[in-house]
Amino acid sequence: MSGTAKRTVTLTLDGSNKSSTLPLLDGTIGPPVADIRKIYGDLGIFTYDPGYGATAACDSKITYIDGDQGVLLYRGYPIEQLAEHSNFLEVAYLLLNGELPKPAELVEFQKGVTHHTMLHEQLRSFYNGFRRDAHPMAVMCGVVGALSAFYHDSLNIYDPDHRRISAFRLIAKVPTIAAWAHKYTVGQPFMYPRNDLGYAENFLYMFHGVPAEEYKVNPILARAMDLIMILHADHEQNASTSTVRLAGSTGANPFACIAAGIASLWGPAHGGANEAVLKMLAEIGHVKNIPAFLADVKDRNNHAKLMGFGHRVYKNYDPRAKIIQKACHDVLGELGIKDDPLLDLALELEKIALNDKYFVDRKLYPNVDFYSGIILKAMGFPTSMFTALFAVSRTVGWISQWAEMIEDPEQRIGRPRQIYTGPTQRDYIPPGQR
Ligand code: CMC
């Protein structure tokens, strides 16, 4: 990040005459950031921040979160406005290019994406290598990583055209890869993409359709899918995005980097939480069991968490959770599901937790994953697909962040330091003398 800092912060090393004056960098919004790059040279010390709770690893123009106010902006636009008025491909253009597209630009962009929706036929054989009960995220990690082997023509990360075509390929192909992971599990034929359908609509078609009969995508479900995709499209420097950036900082190709992001997303503390929420609700089973479950969660000897609650950045309601909770009611209503016991249980669980001192004191609120599983289940997705759907939507955020990093003149290999607490130097002991 260039520019002259207007303010500084000075650190003095106790017991010495050494001090370091660090520039305070300002973003367009958000707190100032101390530039600590010369701290080791000035003071001979490192900084310690496991989990990076107080560390900005890059500067970015893509997504902004105000965790205290519960605000999420993509390129400055509030998520609520995009959810109401935009669509996933328009949001994808915005994330990648920085501005909303003019109508002709959107048409060109849509063409660019749909041109790449098919997978190389050779990739089909990769699926046969998996067990039928393979988790879709395992398939996604493998098949997305394997794309690197198919597109040698676009692997020069320093060529903007190569970056653009790789982005198109990834955004276009991940829905096909995810839908086929499901088809492989259930033993149905792979459905080829249909480029006359919208992005979310085509995904639902490939996922639910079979060649034996015509499948008409329910427009209400297509809109709900599109909304879910918008809400998951980007979320600044979360674990999987940071993984993509770290992998990318070594010069690795974008397909490998996105595969790394998918692996990072899989964990239950991150994208795997949507699957974990439904498992948790099934385990709780009934409203009457909520108090006992929450007692378990609050017991510090336990590792149990209230899944779908809490966030590193949001100390307020996750704005995506608000939107998705409303969409949940709408979709269930449209599908004629009058009473969904899971939704009732989730609403009661949320109410009790939001009034419980443990959660209030720690500012733990529902996050996007608390309600997304309920809506996805109502739309006919098996639980194991939830995180794969998250990966499909987040691919555009990952590739936008990756491209921004490659274009950043200050970018260098990500290489954190450590506090070493192991043994000091010692001599090798021959086996018989240990
Ligand atoms: N249930 C119970 N206690 C919690 C929870 C929870 N869901 N989340 C945080 N806490 C407690 C935590 O134990 C700690 O307590 P104490 O101060 O007594 O030690 C306190 O709240 C602060 O939490 P933290 O562990 O410092 O928070 P973190 O920023 O390291 O972790 C998190 C954030 C999202 C990993 C965590 O809240 C969590 O595991 N939540 C459940 C999993 C989940 O829903 N993940 C989805 C996140 S949103 C979508 C995404 O990123 O993919």
Side-chain angles (χ1 to χ4, degrees), residues 50-51 53 232 235 238-240 264-265 267-274 276-277 280 293-294 297-298 300 302-315 318 320 358-359 361-370 390 394:
H232 288 86
H235 213 228
N238 56 81
S240 57
S264 174
L265 184 75
H270 192 8
N274 51 15
V277 167
M280 173 190 77
F293 171 76
L294 289 183
V297 165
K298 291 188 281 181
R300 305 316 312 272
N302 244 321
H303 291 293
K305 285 252 156 76
L306 174 52
M307 300 311 288
F309 255 67
H311 197 273
R312 170 60 60 79
V313 184
Y314 293 119
K315 301 300 166 200
D318 177 340
R320 303 167 302 171
Y358 175 95
F359 295 93
D361 286 354
R362 290 169 178 76
K363 298 188 176 165
L364 300 170
Y365 290 85
N367 60 51
V368 67
D369 292 314
F370 194 68
F390 194 153
R394 183 56 59 85

Short mmCIF file of all heavy atoms in Angstrom, two decimals, residues 50-51 53 232 235 238-240 264-265 267-274 276-277 280 293-294 297-298 300 302-315 318 320 358-359 361-370 390 394, ligand 1:
data_model
loop_
_atom_site.label_atom_id
_atom_site.label_comp_id
_atom_site.label_asym_id
_atom_site.label_seq_id
_atom_site.Cartn_x
_atom_site.Cartn_y
_atom_site.Cartn_z
N PRO A 50 -1.56 -15.11 16.71
CA PRO A 50 -2.10 -16.37 16.19
C PRO A 50 -3.56 -16.18 15.79
O PRO A 50 -4.31 -15.55 16.52
CB PRO A 50 -1.97 -17.34 17.36
CG PRO A 50 -1.81 -16.50 18.57
CD PRO A 50 -1.23 -15.19 18.14
N GLY A 51 -3.94 -16.69 14.65
CA GLY A 51 -5.31 -16.49 14.16
C GLY A 51 -5.50 -15.17 13.45
O GLY A 51 -6.57 -14.89 12.94
N GLY A 53 -6.03 -12.16 14.34
CA GLY A 53 -7.16 -11.34 14.77
C GLY A 53 -6.90 -9.85 14.65
O GLY A 53 -7.84 -9.06 14.56
N HIS A 232 -22.92 -15.71 -0.60
CA HIS A 232 -21.69 -16.44 -0.30
C HIS A 232 -20.52 -16.04 -1.20
O HIS A 232 -19.44 -16.62 -1.10
CB HIS A 232 -21.91 -17.95 -0.43
CG HIS A 232 -22.74 -18.53 0.67
ND1 HIS A 232 -24.11 -18.55 0.64
CD2 HIS A 232 -22.40 -19.11 1.84
CE1 HIS A 232 -24.57 -19.12 1.73
NE2 HIS A 232 -23.56 -19.47 2.49
N HIS A 235 -16.13 -12.68 1.12
CA HIS A 235 -16.22 -12.27 2.53
C HIS A 235 -14.85 -11.85 3.06
O HIS A 235 -14.41 -12.30 4.10
CB HIS A 235 -16.81 -13.41 3.38
CG HIS A 235 -17.62 -12.90 4.51
ND1 HIS A 235 -17.50 -13.35 5.80
CD2 HIS A 235 -18.57 -11.94 4.56
CE1 HIS A 235 -18.34 -12.69 6.57
NE2 HIS A 235 -19.01 -11.84 5.85
N ASN A 238 -11.19 -14.13 4.92
CA ASN A 238 -11.50 -15.31 5.74
C ASN A 238 -10.47 -16.42 5.50
O ASN A 238 -9.59 -16.27 4.65
CB ASN A 238 -12.91 -15.78 5.39
CG ASN A 238 -13.00 -16.05 3.90
OD1 ASN A 238 -12.59 -17.08 3.42
ND2 ASN A 238 -13.47 -15.06 3.14
N ALA A 239 -10.63 -17.53 6.21
CA ALA A 239 -9.59 -18.58 6.17
C ALA A 239 -9.35 -19.12 4.75
O ALA A 239 -8.21 -19.26 4.31
CB ALA A 239 -9.98 -19.73 7.11
N SER A 240 -10.44 -19.41 4.03
CA SER A 240 -10.21 -20.00 2.70
C SER A 240 -9.64 -18.98 1.72
O SER A 240 -8.77 -19.31 0.90
CB SER A 240 -11.51 -20.61 2.15
OG SER A 240 -12.52 -19.63 2.10
N SER A 264 -9.64 -25.58 2.53
CA SER A 264 -9.72 -24.75 3.73
C SER A 264 -11.17 -24.47 4.13
O SER A 264 -11.51 -24.39 5.31
CB SER A 264 -8.96 -23.45 3.46
OG SER A 264 -9.11 -22.56 4.50
N LEU A 265 -12.02 -24.35 3.13
CA LEU A 265 -13.44 -24.06 3.39
C LEU A 265 -14.13 -25.22 4.09
O LEU A 265 -15.13 -25.04 4.80
CB LEU A 265 -14.16 -23.76 2.06
CG LEU A 265 -15.62 -23.35 2.16
CD1 LEU A 265 -15.73 -21.90 2.64
CD2 LEU A 265 -16.33 -23.50 0.81
N GLY A 267 -13.65 -27.18 6.56
CA GLY A 267 -13.70 -27.36 8.02
C GLY A 267 -14.97 -26.81 8.65
O GLY A 267 -15.53 -25.83 8.18
N PRO A 268 -15.44 -27.46 9.75
CA PRO A 268 -16.70 -27.03 10.38
C PRO A 268 -16.65 -25.65 11.00
O PRO A 268 -17.69 -25.05 11.23
CB PRO A 268 -16.95 -28.11 11.45
CG PRO A 268 -15.63 -28.77 11.66
CD PRO A 268 -14.86 -28.65 10.38
N ALA A 269 -15.45 -25.11 11.27
CA ALA A 269 -15.40 -23.74 11.80
C ALA A 269 -15.64 -22.73 10.68
O ALA A 269 -15.90 -21.56 10.94
CB ALA A 269 -14.04 -23.48 12.44
N HIS A 270 -15.56 -23.17 9.44
CA HIS A 270 -15.70 -22.27 8.29
C HIS A 270 -16.90 -22.74 7.46
O HIS A 270 -18.00 -22.84 7.98
CB HIS A 270 -14.37 -22.28 7.53
CG HIS A 270 -14.17 -21.24 6.48
ND1 HIS A 270 -15.04 -20.20 6.26
CD2 HIS A 270 -13.18 -21.08 5.54
CE1 HIS A 270 -14.59 -19.44 5.27
NE2 HIS A 270 -13.48 -19.96 4.81
N GLY A 271 -16.70 -23.09 6.19
CA GLY A 271 -17.83 -23.42 5.32
C GLY A 271 -18.54 -24.71 5.70
O GLY A 271 -19.71 -24.89 5.36
N GLY A 272 -17.84 -25.59 6.39
CA GLY A 272 -18.46 -26.85 6.81
C GLY A 272 -19.52 -26.66 7.88
O GLY A 272 -20.23 -27.60 8.24
N ALA A 273 -19.67 -25.41 8.36
CA ALA A 273 -20.64 -25.17 9.45
C ALA A 273 -22.08 -25.37 8.98
O ALA A 273 -22.93 -25.78 9.77
CB ALA A 273 -20.47 -23.75 9.99
N ASN A 274 -22.36 -25.12 7.69
CA ASN A 274 -23.76 -25.28 7.25
C ASN A 274 -24.20 -26.74 7.38
O ASN A 274 -25.33 -27.02 7.80
CB ASN A 274 -23.99 -24.71 5.83
CG ASN A 274 -22.98 -25.22 4.81
OD1 ASN A 274 -22.28 -26.19 5.04
ND2 ASN A 274 -22.92 -24.55 3.67
N ALA A 276 -22.77 -28.85 9.48
CA ALA A 276 -22.74 -29.14 10.91
C ALA A 276 -24.00 -28.63 11.63
O ALA A 276 -24.46 -29.23 12.61
CB ALA A 276 -21.48 -28.53 11.54
N VAL A 277 -24.57 -27.52 11.15
CA VAL A 277 -25.78 -26.98 11.77
C VAL A 277 -26.92 -27.99 11.66
O VAL A 277 -27.62 -28.26 12.65
CB VAL A 277 -26.21 -25.63 11.13
CG1 VAL A 277 -27.61 -25.23 11.55
CG2 VAL A 277 -25.23 -24.53 11.50
N MET A 280 -26.39 -30.81 13.96
CA MET A 280 -26.65 -30.37 15.33
C MET A 280 -28.16 -30.33 15.59
O MET A 280 -28.64 -30.83 16.62
CB MET A 280 -26.03 -28.99 15.53
CG MET A 280 -26.34 -28.32 16.83
SD MET A 280 -25.78 -26.60 16.81
CE MET A 280 -27.06 -25.82 15.83
N PHE A 293 -28.71 -29.06 25.60
CA PHE A 293 -27.69 -28.88 24.57
C PHE A 293 -26.87 -27.62 24.85
O PHE A 293 -25.63 -27.65 24.79
CB PHE A 293 -28.35 -28.79 23.18
CG PHE A 293 -27.38 -28.39 22.11
CD1 PHE A 293 -26.46 -29.31 21.61
CD2 PHE A 293 -27.34 -27.08 21.63
CE1 PHE A 293 -25.52 -28.92 20.66
CE2 PHE A 293 -26.41 -26.70 20.67
CZ PHE A 293 -25.50 -27.62 20.18
N LEU A 294 -27.54 -26.53 25.19
CA LEU A 294 -26.80 -25.28 25.44
C LEU A 294 -25.93 -25.40 26.69
O LEU A 294 -24.84 -24.81 26.75
CB LEU A 294 -27.77 -24.09 25.55
CG LEU A 294 -28.43 -23.66 24.24
CD1 LEU A 294 -29.31 -22.44 24.45
CD2 LEU A 294 -27.39 -23.36 23.16
N VAL A 297 -22.81 -26.90 25.52
CA VAL A 297 -22.00 -25.94 24.76
C VAL A 297 -21.26 -25.00 25.72
O VAL A 297 -20.11 -24.64 25.49
CB VAL A 297 -22.92 -25.14 23.79
CG1 VAL A 297 -22.21 -23.90 23.27
CG2 VAL A 297 -23.36 -26.01 22.63
N LYS A 298 -21.94 -24.64 26.81
CA LYS A 298 -21.34 -23.65 27.73
C LYS A 298 -20.34 -24.28 28.70
O LYS A 298 -19.58 -23.58 29.34
CB LYS A 298 -22.46 -22.94 28.51
CG LYS A 298 -23.30 -22.05 27.61
CD LYS A 298 -24.28 -21.20 28.36
CE LYS A 298 -25.51 -21.98 28.77
NZ LYS A 298 -26.50 -21.18 29.47
N ARG A 300 -17.11 -25.55 29.74
CA ARG A 300 -15.77 -25.32 29.18
C ARG A 300 -14.96 -26.60 29.01
O ARG A 300 -13.95 -26.63 28.33
CB ARG A 300 -14.99 -24.30 30.00
CG ARG A 300 -15.63 -22.96 30.23
CD ARG A 300 -16.27 -22.38 28.97
NE ARG A 300 -15.43 -22.41 27.79
CZ ARG A 300 -14.57 -21.47 27.44
NH1 ARG A 300 -14.46 -20.40 28.17
NH2 ARG A 300 -13.84 -21.57 26.39
N ASN A 302 -16.09 -29.09 27.56
CA ASN A 302 -16.61 -29.67 26.33
C ASN A 302 -16.06 -28.92 25.13
O ASN A 302 -15.80 -27.73 25.20
CB ASN A 302 -18.13 -29.46 26.33
CG ASN A 302 -18.85 -30.77 26.38
OD1 ASN A 302 -18.42 -31.72 25.75
ND2 ASN A 302 -19.94 -30.81 27.12
N HIS A 303 -15.95 -29.60 23.99
CA HIS A 303 -15.53 -28.86 22.79
C HIS A 303 -16.72 -28.47 21.93
O HIS A 303 -16.55 -27.96 20.84
CB HIS A 303 -14.54 -29.70 21.97
CG HIS A 303 -13.23 -29.85 22.67
ND1 HIS A 303 -12.38 -28.79 22.88
CD2 HIS A 303 -12.63 -30.92 23.23
CE1 HIS A 303 -11.31 -29.20 23.54
NE2 HIS A 303 -11.44 -30.50 23.76
N ALA A 304 -17.95 -28.77 22.44
CA ALA A 304 -19.15 -28.50 21.63
C ALA A 304 -19.32 -27.01 21.38
O ALA A 304 -19.01 -26.18 22.24
CB ALA A 304 -20.38 -29.05 22.35
N LYS A 305 -19.79 -26.67 20.19
CA LYS A 305 -20.07 -25.27 19.84
C LYS A 305 -21.51 -25.20 19.35
O LYS A 305 -22.05 -26.19 18.84
CB LYS A 305 -19.15 -24.82 18.69
CG LYS A 305 -17.73 -24.54 19.12
CD LYS A 305 -17.45 -23.04 19.12
CE LYS A 305 -16.32 -22.63 20.03
NZ LYS A 305 -15.00 -22.91 19.53
N LEU A 306 -22.11 -24.06 19.49
CA LEU A 306 -23.41 -23.84 18.85
C LEU A 306 -23.09 -23.50 17.40
O LEU A 306 -22.66 -22.37 17.08
CB LEU A 306 -24.16 -22.71 19.56
CG LEU A 306 -25.47 -22.26 18.92
CD1 LEU A 306 -26.40 -23.43 18.67
CD2 LEU A 306 -26.17 -21.24 19.82
N MET A 307 -23.24 -24.48 16.52
CA MET A 307 -22.83 -24.28 15.13
C MET A 307 -23.74 -23.26 14.45
O MET A 307 -24.95 -23.22 14.72
CB MET A 307 -22.86 -25.62 14.36
CG MET A 307 -21.94 -26.68 14.95
SD MET A 307 -20.25 -26.09 15.29
CE MET A 307 -19.58 -25.93 13.65
N GLY A 308 -23.14 -22.45 13.58
CA GLY A 308 -23.91 -21.39 12.93
C GLY A 308 -24.01 -20.14 13.80
O GLY A 308 -24.72 -19.20 13.45
N PHE A 309 -23.30 -20.13 14.92
CA PHE A 309 -23.25 -18.95 15.80
C PHE A 309 -21.81 -18.50 15.95
O PHE A 309 -20.90 -19.32 16.00
CB PHE A 309 -23.80 -19.31 17.19
CG PHE A 309 -25.18 -18.76 17.44
CD1 PHE A 309 -26.26 -19.24 16.73
CD2 PHE A 309 -25.40 -17.76 18.38
CE1 PHE A 309 -27.54 -18.76 16.95
CE2 PHE A 309 -26.67 -17.26 18.61
CZ PHE A 309 -27.74 -17.76 17.90
N GLY A 310 -21.64 -17.19 16.08
CA GLY A 310 -20.30 -16.66 16.32
C GLY A 310 -19.58 -16.35 15.03
O GLY A 310 -19.85 -16.95 13.98
N HIS A 311 -18.69 -15.39 15.10
CA HIS A 311 -17.90 -15.04 13.93
C HIS A 311 -16.69 -14.24 14.39
O HIS A 311 -16.79 -13.47 15.34
CB HIS A 311 -18.73 -14.19 12.95
CG HIS A 311 -18.14 -14.13 11.59
ND1 HIS A 311 -17.19 -13.20 11.24
CD2 HIS A 311 -18.34 -14.91 10.51
CE1 HIS A 311 -16.84 -13.40 9.99
NE2 HIS A 311 -17.51 -14.44 9.51
N ARG A 312 -15.56 -14.44 13.72
CA ARG A 312 -14.37 -13.69 14.10
C ARG A 312 -14.58 -12.19 13.95
O ARG A 312 -14.10 -11.40 14.77
CB ARG A 312 -13.20 -14.16 13.22
CG ARG A 312 -11.93 -13.33 13.32
CD ARG A 312 -11.35 -13.29 14.73
NE ARG A 312 -10.99 -14.60 15.22
CZ ARG A 312 -9.89 -15.27 14.89
NH1 ARG A 312 -9.02 -14.74 14.08
NH2 ARG A 312 -9.65 -16.45 15.42
N VAL A 313 -15.30 -11.77 12.93
CA VAL A 313 -15.43 -10.33 12.66
C VAL A 313 -16.77 -9.77 13.14
O VAL A 313 -16.82 -8.71 13.75
CB VAL A 313 -15.22 -10.04 11.15
CG1 VAL A 313 -15.26 -8.54 10.90
CG2 VAL A 313 -13.89 -10.62 10.67
N TYR A 314 -17.86 -10.48 12.87
CA TYR A 314 -19.17 -9.95 13.29
C TYR A 314 -19.36 -10.09 14.79
O TYR A 314 -19.33 -11.20 15.32
CB TYR A 314 -20.32 -10.70 12.60
CG TYR A 314 -20.40 -10.48 11.11
CD1 TYR A 314 -20.28 -11.55 10.23
CD2 TYR A 314 -20.60 -9.21 10.58
CE1 TYR A 314 -20.35 -11.36 8.87
CE2 TYR A 314 -20.67 -9.01 9.22
CZ TYR A 314 -20.55 -10.09 8.37
OH TYR A 314 -20.61 -9.90 7.02
N LYS A 315 -19.59 -8.98 15.45
CA LYS A 315 -19.97 -9.02 16.86
C LYS A 315 -21.39 -8.48 16.94
O LYS A 315 -21.80 -7.79 17.86
CB LYS A 315 -19.00 -8.18 17.72
CG LYS A 315 -17.56 -8.67 17.60
CD LYS A 315 -17.39 -10.13 18.05
CE LYS A 315 -16.05 -10.72 17.62
NZ LYS A 315 -16.02 -12.17 17.60
N ASP A 318 -24.99 -11.24 11.67
CA ASP A 318 -24.41 -11.34 10.34
C ASP A 318 -25.50 -10.91 9.34
O ASP A 318 -26.58 -11.51 9.32
CB ASP A 318 -24.01 -12.83 10.14
CG ASP A 318 -23.44 -13.15 8.77
OD1 ASP A 318 -23.68 -12.38 7.83
OD2 ASP A 318 -22.77 -14.20 8.65
N ARG A 320 -25.92 -11.39 6.34
CA ARG A 320 -26.32 -12.46 5.43
C ARG A 320 -27.33 -13.39 6.10
O ARG A 320 -28.23 -13.93 5.46
CB ARG A 320 -25.08 -13.27 5.00
CG ARG A 320 -24.01 -12.42 4.34
CD ARG A 320 -22.71 -13.17 4.21
NE ARG A 320 -22.20 -13.62 5.50
CZ ARG A 320 -21.18 -14.44 5.67
NH1 ARG A 320 -20.55 -14.92 4.62
NH2 ARG A 320 -20.78 -14.78 6.88
N TYR A 358 -24.30 -16.23 28.35
CA TYR A 358 -23.06 -16.72 27.74
C TYR A 358 -22.89 -16.14 26.34
O TYR A 358 -21.82 -15.62 25.98
CB TYR A 358 -23.11 -18.26 27.67
CG TYR A 358 -21.94 -18.89 26.94
CD1 TYR A 358 -20.83 -19.35 27.64
CD2 TYR A 358 -21.94 -19.03 25.54
CE1 TYR A 358 -19.75 -19.92 26.97
CE2 TYR A 358 -20.87 -19.61 24.87
CZ TYR A 358 -19.78 -20.05 25.59
OH TYR A 358 -18.72 -20.62 24.92
N PHE A 359 -23.95 -16.20 25.53
CA PHE A 359 -23.87 -15.73 24.14
C PHE A 359 -23.90 -14.21 24.07
O PHE A 359 -23.21 -13.62 23.25
CB PHE A 359 -25.00 -16.36 23.31
CG PHE A 359 -24.85 -17.85 23.22
CD1 PHE A 359 -25.50 -18.69 24.13
CD2 PHE A 359 -24.03 -18.43 22.26
CE1 PHE A 359 -25.33 -20.07 24.07
CE2 PHE A 359 -23.86 -19.81 22.20
CZ PHE A 359 -24.51 -20.62 23.12
N ASP A 361 -22.78 -12.07 26.42
CA ASP A 361 -21.49 -11.54 26.86
C ASP A 361 -20.42 -11.65 25.78
O ASP A 361 -19.55 -10.81 25.65
CB ASP A 361 -20.99 -12.32 28.10
CG ASP A 361 -21.77 -11.93 29.34
OD1 ASP A 361 -22.59 -10.99 29.25
OD2 ASP A 361 -21.58 -12.59 30.40
N ARG A 362 -20.48 -12.73 25.02
CA ARG A 362 -19.45 -12.96 24.00
C ARG A 362 -19.83 -12.40 22.63
O ARG A 362 -19.13 -12.60 21.65
CB ARG A 362 -19.16 -14.46 23.89
CG ARG A 362 -18.44 -15.00 25.11
CD ARG A 362 -18.40 -16.53 25.09
NE ARG A 362 -17.67 -17.04 26.24
CZ ARG A 362 -18.15 -17.09 27.48
NH1 ARG A 362 -19.36 -16.62 27.75
NH2 ARG A 362 -17.42 -17.58 28.48
N LYS A 363 -20.97 -11.74 22.58
CA LYS A 363 -21.47 -11.16 21.32
C LYS A 363 -21.54 -12.22 20.22
O LYS A 363 -21.01 -12.03 19.11
CB LYS A 363 -20.61 -9.97 20.88
CG LYS A 363 -20.62 -8.84 21.88
CD LYS A 363 -19.94 -7.63 21.33
CE LYS A 363 -20.05 -6.49 22.32
NZ LYS A 363 -19.17 -5.39 22.09
N LEU A 364 -22.16 -13.33 20.55
CA LEU A 364 -22.30 -14.41 19.57
C LEU A 364 -23.69 -14.35 18.96
O LEU A 364 -24.69 -14.46 19.66
CB LEU A 364 -22.08 -15.77 20.25
CG LEU A 364 -20.71 -15.97 20.92
CD1 LEU A 364 -20.69 -17.24 21.76
CD2 LEU A 364 -19.61 -16.00 19.86
N TYR A 365 -23.74 -14.15 17.66
CA TYR A 365 -24.99 -14.02 16.91
C TYR A 365 -25.03 -15.08 15.81
O TYR A 365 -23.99 -15.63 15.45
CB TYR A 365 -25.07 -12.64 16.25
CG TYR A 365 -25.27 -11.52 17.23
CD1 TYR A 365 -24.18 -10.93 17.87
CD2 TYR A 365 -26.55 -11.04 17.51
CE1 TYR A 365 -24.36 -9.90 18.78
CE2 TYR A 365 -26.73 -10.01 18.41
CZ TYR A 365 -25.64 -9.44 19.04
OH TYR A 365 -25.82 -8.42 19.93
N PRO A 366 -26.22 -15.33 15.24
CA PRO A 366 -26.26 -16.29 14.13
C PRO A 366 -25.43 -15.78 12.95
O PRO A 366 -25.44 -14.58 12.67
CB PRO A 366 -27.75 -16.32 13.73
CG PRO A 366 -28.49 -15.71 14.85
CD PRO A 366 -27.55 -14.78 15.56
N ASN A 367 -24.71 -16.68 12.31
CA ASN A 367 -23.99 -16.32 11.09
C ASN A 367 -24.71 -16.93 9.88
O ASN A 367 -25.75 -17.59 10.05
CB ASN A 367 -22.52 -16.74 11.18
CG ASN A 367 -22.36 -18.23 11.38
OD1 ASN A 367 -22.94 -19.04 10.65
ND2 ASN A 367 -21.58 -18.63 12.39
N VAL A 368 -24.17 -16.73 8.71
CA VAL A 368 -24.84 -17.13 7.47
C VAL A 368 -25.21 -18.62 7.47
O VAL A 368 -26.20 -19.03 6.88
CB VAL A 368 -23.95 -16.79 6.24
CG1 VAL A 368 -22.69 -17.63 6.19
CG2 VAL A 368 -24.72 -16.89 4.94
N ASP A 369 -24.40 -19.42 8.16
CA ASP A 369 -24.61 -20.87 8.10
C ASP A 369 -25.77 -21.35 8.96
O ASP A 369 -26.19 -22.49 8.85
CB ASP A 369 -23.33 -21.60 8.52
CG ASP A 369 -22.23 -21.39 7.51
OD1 ASP A 369 -22.53 -21.52 6.31
OD2 ASP A 369 -21.09 -21.07 7.90
N PHE A 370 -26.26 -20.50 9.86
CA PHE A 370 -27.30 -20.97 10.78
C PHE A 370 -28.58 -21.33 10.02
O PHE A 370 -29.24 -22.31 10.33
CB PHE A 370 -27.59 -19.91 11.86
CG PHE A 370 -28.39 -20.46 13.01
CD1 PHE A 370 -27.84 -21.40 13.88
CD2 PHE A 370 -29.70 -20.06 13.23
CE1 PHE A 370 -28.57 -21.92 14.93
CE2 PHE A 370 -30.45 -20.57 14.28
CZ PHE A 370 -29.88 -21.50 15.13
N PHE A 390 -21.42 -23.85 -1.15
CA PHE A 390 -20.68 -22.68 -0.65
C PHE A 390 -19.44 -22.47 -1.54
O PHE A 390 -19.15 -21.36 -2.00
CB PHE A 390 -20.29 -22.95 0.81
CG PHE A 390 -19.82 -21.77 1.62
CD1 PHE A 390 -19.97 -21.77 3.01
CD2 PHE A 390 -19.21 -20.67 1.04
CE1 PHE A 390 -19.54 -20.70 3.79
CE2 PHE A 390 -18.77 -19.60 1.81
CZ PHE A 390 -18.92 -19.62 3.18
N ARG A 394 -18.37 -19.23 -3.67
CA ARG A 394 -17.20 -18.48 -3.21
C ARG A 394 -16.08 -18.45 -4.26
O ARG A 394 -15.16 -17.63 -4.17
CB ARG A 394 -16.71 -19.07 -1.88
CG ARG A 394 -15.55 -18.38 -1.20
CD ARG A 394 -15.76 -16.90 -0.93
NE ARG A 394 -16.91 -16.58 -0.08
CZ ARG A 394 -16.93 -16.57 1.25
NH1 ARG A 394 -15.83 -16.85 1.90
NH2 ARG A 394 -18.03 -16.27 1.92
N1 CMC B 1 -20.66 -21.69 20.46
C1 CMC B 1 -20.22 -21.55 21.73
N2 CMC B 1 -19.22 -20.73 22.12
C2 CMC B 1 -18.64 -20.01 21.15
C3 CMC B 1 -19.03 -20.10 19.80
C4 CMC B 1 -20.09 -20.97 19.48
N3 CMC B 1 -20.51 -21.11 18.21
N4 CMC B 1 -18.26 -19.28 19.05
C5 CMC B 1 -17.39 -18.69 19.90
N5 CMC B 1 -17.63 -19.13 21.17
C6 CMC B 1 -16.96 -18.68 22.39
C7 CMC B 1 -15.54 -19.18 22.44
O1 CMC B 1 -15.45 -20.42 23.08
C8 CMC B 1 -14.86 -18.06 23.22
O2 CMC B 1 -15.22 -18.23 24.57
P1 CMC B 1 -14.19 -17.77 25.75
O3 CMC B 1 -13.97 -16.30 25.54
O4 CMC B 1 -14.90 -18.11 26.99
O5 CMC B 1 -12.93 -18.55 25.53
C9 CMC B 1 -15.58 -16.81 22.74
O6 CMC B 1 -16.87 -17.26 22.30
C10 CMC B 1 -14.87 -16.09 21.61
O7 CMC B 1 -14.77 -16.98 20.53
P2 CMC B 1 -13.44 -17.28 19.72
O8 CMC B 1 -13.21 -18.77 19.71
O9 CMC B 1 -12.34 -16.40 20.16
O10 CMC B 1 -13.92 -16.84 18.30
P3 CMC B 1 -13.12 -17.04 16.96
O11 CMC B 1 -13.15 -15.75 16.28
O12 CMC B 1 -11.77 -17.64 17.19
O13 CMC B 1 -14.00 -18.12 16.20
C11 CMC B 1 -15.72 -19.09 14.89
C12 CMC B 1 -14.99 -17.80 15.27
C13 CMC B 1 -16.67 -18.79 13.74
C14 CMC B 1 -14.70 -20.13 14.40
C15 CMC B 1 -16.49 -19.60 16.13
O14 CMC B 1 -17.44 -18.65 16.53
C16 CMC B 1 -17.18 -20.94 15.85
O15 CMC B 1 -16.55 -21.99 15.93
N6 CMC B 1 -18.51 -20.92 15.51
C17 CMC B 1 -19.20 -22.13 15.16
C18 CMC B 1 -18.85 -22.56 13.75
C19 CMC B 1 -19.50 -21.68 12.71
O16 CMC B 1 -20.69 -21.39 12.75
N7 CMC B 1 -18.70 -21.28 11.70
C20 CMC B 1 -19.19 -20.47 10.56
C21 CMC B 1 -18.60 -19.10 10.56
S1 CMC B 1 -19.42 -18.00 9.39
C22 CMC B 1 -19.23 -18.65 7.83
C23 CMC B 1 -17.82 -18.98 7.45
O17 CMC B 1 -16.85 -18.36 7.85
O18 CMC B 1 -17.68 -19.90 6.68
#
